[in-house]
Amino acid sequence: MSRSDSESWAVVTPGDVLRSIRRRVPSVIVTTLLVTVAVVALLVVWPNQYRSEGMMYVRLGRNALGSDPTSKSSNSVSMQESRTAEVASIGEMVGSREIAERAVERVGVDVINQPRNWIEQSLEDVSAFMDSDHALVSWIPKGEPKTAGEMTAEEYETQVEREKAIKTVQKAINVNVAKNAYTVTVGGKEDDPILIQSIVQAVMDEFGSYHVDAHRVQGSESFFDQQARESRDLAIAAREKLQETRNEMGWLSAESAERTLSERIIDLEMKLSSADSELAEAISQAEELRRQLDATEPWVPIEKTLGIANAAGDTMRSQLYDVQVQDGEELAKLSPSHPRYKRLQKKMAQSTELAGDEREERQETREAINPVYQDLETQFQTVRAKAVGLASRRDSVSERLEATQSDLQRLNRDMTVMARLTWEADIAEATYREHARSLEEARVNAELDKNQMSDVSVIQDATLNLKKSGPMRGLLSVVGAMFAFSLGLLQAILRDSPVDTRSSTPRSKRERLENGRSDRDHGDQDRYDGQRDRFRTETDHGDLNPHHLSASKASGAVSDDLSQDNLGQEAMDAVESVASDVDSSSGSIAVADGNGSSGPSTSLPR
């Protein structure tokens, strides 16, 4: 569209459009009826659509709670997020191509691709006719059967049919996952209720095994079996090495031995301290008892008897008397100067003295051991024996303490080796337990997978709905009628354009015309519009006599009338435009020039 056309459409008013439509009312009605009838006919012959629905429930099972045996479980897994993600993933998996392929294998390619309505049957008949040797199509060159790679023509055709069935299933199936729910709705729409029920049921049934296969870890059981055997041998070897080292070192357990030696050292130190204290006390007691014994008499008199006769003294005095008598007689015989005389006197003095001693009274005294001394002696001996025992015990405790401290030092040296061996044994045992646990999980999962036990269960089988679900012929008919009416209006506007595209009137004159018309009063404008509309109406309906009316008379009459209203040159330009419209619609009226002269007149057909 040129710039001038765009500017012409810019000045079109709704009244101009309505007038163009009013002039084309019959064509609008015909177009609307034809398009509406076509739409309704198409809806009538269009195949019915039938819907089938099924529902699956995602349970809180092993796939949601358990993890892959080959992976490490996380401590920050949210159960809600895990289940929500699982349900969303199931929705995506149900609509996957793999499920469509399994459904095709279960239902059958021929069953799915079988024509079920007149459209599919017509297309199949046309294709078969084109591939036949009929005379009408025999002249059309036939191509070689298609192949791909190492596939034969039959295999290629089979694959094409299978792909067609897969696309049919994918197009027919739709999956709906409810928000914040654990259900998955599987629906489908097709022109055969039995077929769509079979497809929906096949999709749900096949998804159970597919879901199991999706969570299956191939080769995990054999892998963990081998790992468990190897880790078990390593754990046994590490534990045997630890026990042998303990036997060589003499320790059953480094921790228990250290605790025992520590307790023993503490006990021996306490005993040694107690023995030293008691020994010092015993030595002090012994020294004190020794001083008391030295100051105590061992014997004490217990009885004393006086005036006891002395037979020996009497006998001795008798004998001394006889000797004295003899010595006196002999002394009498000797002179005082005789040496014997002195000896006899000395002998007689000693005998008298001895006899005098024997004349004293005799007494008898009985003595006994001092009990105080005896008790002190007993205590002394006891304390001394105790001191000897305490000294011996102190020496023994001291020797045992030294031996225990030596064992503790040896234990400290051996603990490093034992700790390393214990760590190795513990790590080997932990690894074995982990592998054994994973092996058991893999074994249980394999058994469950073998029995096709999935967390997704079908809680509603595919429904068989014999009541059509589409197409909505009533609504679509209304929409088609509205579309037909719009199409009729459009063709009326395009055929009877309110824009004078053939007018040679310059853009400036039309602008002056519009400005002049806006300056006139409403009376002149209404009269001008009425005369122009009346002229067009009479022309369209044939009220004007084409044998007596020429374009010059029509334009002259209008021009005279407009001249009386002082419309000026702009109104004359409008008259030329009207005459051009009449000529375009009737094809026989000549357009008058600007000075009012007319060309050759042409009669209008009635």
Side-chain angles (χ1 to χ4, degrees):
M1 184 181 291
S2 63
R3 180 177 180 184
S4 60
D5 294 339
S6 300
E7 293 175 352
S8 299
W9 279 101
V11 298
V12 174
T13 62
D16 298 335
V17 176
L18 292 176
R19 283 188 292 272
S20 298
I21 295 174
R22 188 167 60 242
R23 287 191 298 270
R24 297 294 180 177
V25 170
S27 62
V28 172
I29 296 175
V30 171
T31 303
T32 302
L33 291 177
L34 291 177
V35 175
T36 302
V37 169
V39 171
V40 172
L42 181 62
L43 291 175
V44 169
V45 300
W46 195 263
N48 292 332
Q49 296 290 315
Y50 300 91
R51 184 169 181 81
S52 177
E53 287 187 355
M55 184 175 293
M56 298 185 297
Y57 176 70
V58 183
R59 300 193 306 272
L60 184 62
R62 59 189 177 98
N63 293 327
L65 294 177
S67 60
D68 186 358
T70 59
S71 64
K72 294 294 182 180
S73 60
S74 175
N75 296 327
S76 59
V77 176
S78 173
M79 184 61 63
Q80 181 66 25
E81 294 180 0
S82 177
R83 293 201 66 191
T84 303
E86 178 73 11
V87 173
S89 300
I90 288 174
E92 295 293 331
M93 294 163 65
V94 172
S96 64
R97 177 183 173 87
E98 178 64 23
I99 297 298
E101 292 179 355
R102 295 191 179 197
V104 168
E105 294 295 334
R106 181 167 181 171
V107 177
V109 176
D110 296 336
V111 175
I112 296 176
N113 291 338
Q114 180 181 357
R116 285 179 171 80
N117 53 65
W118 66 272
I119 298 177
E120 295 178 355
Q121 186 64 45
S122 300
L123 293 176
E124 184 175 357
D125 293 342
V126 170
S127 178
F129 178 75
M130 296 298 294
D131 294 337
S132 66
D133 296 333
H134 195 273
L136 296 177
V137 295
S138 59
W139 58 273
I140 300 176
K142 304 291 190 300
E144 295 294 331
K146 295 183 179 180
T147 59
E150 298 179 356
M151 298 177 62
T152 62
E154 291 78 8
E155 293 176 349
Y156 182 85
E157 185 65 23
T158 302
Q159 181 63 29
V160 170
E161 293 296 325
R162 182 173 182 272
E163 189 67 24
K164 179 181 178 182
I166 292 173
K167 290 183 178 180
T168 301
V169 171
Q170 288 181 323
K171 182 180 179 181
I173 293 298
N174 61 82
V175 182
N176 182 26
V177 179
K179 186 177 181 181
N180 297 328
Y182 304 127
T183 56
V184 178
T185 303
V186 181
K189 183 181 290 186
E190 191 54 66
D191 52 8
D192 187 354
I194 304 298
L195 175 62
I196 191 60
Q197 182 196 25
S198 303
I199 292 176
V200 172
Q201 190 64 41
V203 167
M204 293 190 298
D205 293 341
E206 290 296 328
F207 181 76
S209 59
Y210 177 71
H211 187 257
V212 172
D213 295 339
H215 288 84
R216 179 183 300 167
V217 181
Q218 298 292 340
S220 61
E221 185 176 0
S222 59
F223 171 76
F224 283 114
D225 186 18
Q226 180 181 0
Q227 293 296 319
R229 288 198 301 268
E230 294 178 357
S231 59
R232 179 177 178 273
D233 296 339
L234 292 176
I236 293 175
R239 184 60 62 182
E240 290 178 351
K241 184 177 181 180
L242 176 61
Q243 295 298 334
E244 291 176 358
T245 304
R246 286 176 177 175
N247 294 333
E248 293 176 358
M249 295 180 177
W251 311 111
L252 295 178
S253 174
E255 292 77 10
S256 61
E258 183 180 10
R259 183 171 58 255
T260 301
L261 291 177
S262 299
E263 294 176 354
R264 184 183 300 174
I265 289 175
I266 293 174
D267 183 64
L268 292 176
E269 288 179 348
M270 293 177 63
K271 289 181 178 180
L272 181 60
S273 178
S274 176
D276 289 337
S277 300
E278 293 178 0
L279 179 60
E281 182 181 359
I283 292 175
S284 299
Q285 290 179 358
E287 291 177 356
E288 181 63 24
L289 291 174
R290 171 60 64 183
R291 286 194 298 271
Q292 293 180 6
L293 285 174
D294 293 341
T296 302
E297 292 293 335
W299 297 91
V300 293
I302 59 175
E303 184 179 0
K304 188 175 183 181
T305 304
L306 299 177
I308 299 175
N310 190 355
D314 294 343
T315 300
M316 186 181 61
R317 281 194 300 273
S318 177
Q319 291 175 358
L320 285 176
Y321 182 74
D322 290 338
V323 172
Q324 284 179 355
V325 171
Q326 289 176 3
D327 288 339
E329 290 176 355
E330 189 177 352
L331 185 61
K333 293 176 178 181
L334 294 175
S335 61
S337 59
H338 191 278
R340 187 171 173 75
Y341 181 79
K342 292 183 179 179
R343 289 197 298 271
L344 288 174
Q345 285 185 341
K346 187 176 178 181
K347 180 177 178 183
M348 290 178 63
Q350 291 180 349
S351 298
T352 302
E353 184 179 357
L354 183 59
D357 294 333
E358 291 296 332
R359 288 192 187 95
E360 296 180 356
E361 294 182 355
R362 298 181 60 189
Q363 61 180 11
E364 184 179 11
T365 303
R366 296 176 60 189
E367 294 182 350
I369 298 176
N370 190 350
V372 176
Y373 184 85
Q374 188 178 9
D375 184 59
L376 291 174
E377 182 67 22
T378 301
Q379 293 181 6
F380 175 73
Q381 294 298 332
T382 302
V383 170
R384 187 172 64 176
K386 180 180 179 181
V388 174
L390 290 174
S392 177
R393 188 177 70 176
R394 182 192 64 180
D395 296 339
S396 176
V397 170
S398 179
E399 291 177 358
R400 291 169 57 191
L401 180 60
E402 291 179 356
T404 303
Q405 291 176 347
S406 177
D407 292 340
L408 182 60
Q409 293 176 0
R410 184 169 62 88
L411 174 63
N412 292 332
R413 291 191 299 268
D414 297 341
M415 279 184 64
T416 303
V417 179
M418 293 179 63
R420 179 175 58 82
L421 296 177
T422 302
W423 294 340
E424 294 178 356
D426 293 341
I427 293 174
E429 291 179 359
T431 303
Y432 170 67
R433 286 193 295 269
E434 183 68 20
H435 287 167
R437 182 190 63 80
S438 300
L439 175 61
E440 184 63 19
E441 289 183 1
R443 187 187 65 79
V444 172
N445 291 336
E447 292 297 327
L448 294 176
D449 295 342
K450 186 183 298 183
N451 296 326
Q452 297 296 320
M453 299 182 66
S454 173
D455 295 342
V456 181
S457 58
V458 179
I459 60 176
Q460 175 185 323
D461 292 333
T463 59
L464 178 59
N465 190 1
L466 299 179
K467 183 179 179 181
K468 66 181 182 65
S469 61
M472 302 175 65
R473 291 184 172 87
L475 179 60
L476 293 178
S477 298
V478 173
V479 174
M482 295 176 62
F483 171 74
F485 182 69
S486 301
L487 189 62
L489 295 179
L490 179 62
Q491 65 85 24
I493 295 173
L494 294 178
R495 291 180 60 193
D496 194 356
S497 175
V499 179
D500 186 10
T501 56
R502 293 187 300 273
S503 178
S504 58
T505 304
R507 173 63 179 172
S508 59
K509 291 185 178 181
R510 289 197 296 270
E511 291 177 353
R512 288 196 303 271
L513 175 60
E514 295 298 329
N515 294 331
R517 292 175 61 183
S518 63
D519 293 336
R520 289 193 301 269
D521 58 335
H522 296 286
D524 296 339
Q525 179 66 34
D526 294 339
R527 186 165 56 254
Y528 166 75
D529 293 338
Q531 291 174 355
R532 187 180 65 176
D533 293 339
R534 185 170 58 253
F535 177 75
R536 287 181 174 177
T537 303
E538 292 175 353
T539 304
D540 293 336
H541 291 80
D543 294 338
L544 296 178
N545 190 350
H547 301 285
H548 303 286
L549 178 64
S550 62
S552 59
K553 291 181 180 180
S555 59
V558 176
S559 300
D560 294 339
D561 188 67
L562 294 178
S563 299
Q564 293 175 2
D565 294 335
N566 299 321
L567 296 179
Q569 184 64 35
E570 290 81 359
M572 297 302 295
D573 296 336
V575 173
E576 294 176 1
S577 175
V578 172
S580 299
D581 293 340
V582 174
D583 182 51
S584 62
S585 59
S586 300
S588 60
I589 297 179
V591 180
D593 57 11
N595 297 324
S597 61
S598 59
S601 61
T602 304
S603 63
L604 295 173
R606 183 173 297 275

